[in-house]
Amino acid sequence: SMRTSSHRLTKWIDLKSGDIRATELYSYSHSQIELENIFRKTTNQTLLNHLQTQFDTAFAKSLGRAKSK
């Protein structure tokens, strides 16, 4: 999971295969309570692409650290 001040993006990833099993995107623009997964409903593809790029970069870095230990 990755959280910004306005959103949380979670990807459920099978660590053995690398397959993404599910993705969740929640907006905190109206409330801090995560009531509706807007991943499939989002009309702001630019935002989704930006968050996914940030997530993928952080995830790759965390895997690199885990492998080097």
Side-chain angles (χ1 to χ4, degrees), residues 4 7 11-13 16 20 25 31-34 37-38 42 45 47 52-53 55-59 66 68-69:
T4 68
H7 294 85
K11 291 185 181 185
W12 296 92
I13 301 170
K16 289 183 181 178
I20 298 171
L25 177 62
S31 172
Q32 293 295 306
I33 300 172
E34 299 167 349
N37 180 0
I38 61 170
T42 186
Q45 193 62 41
L47 169 66
Q52 288 192 113
T53 298
F55 182 96
D56 293 344
T57 300
F59 186 71
S68 64
K69 289 184 177 180

Side-chain angles (χ1 to χ4, degrees), residues 3 8 24 26-28 31-37:
R3 183 173 176 165
R8 179 176 67 83
E24 299 173 0
Y26 295 96
S27 173
Y28 299 126
S31 172
Q32 293 295 306
I33 300 172
E34 299 167 349
L35 297 175
E36 181 181 10
N37 180 0

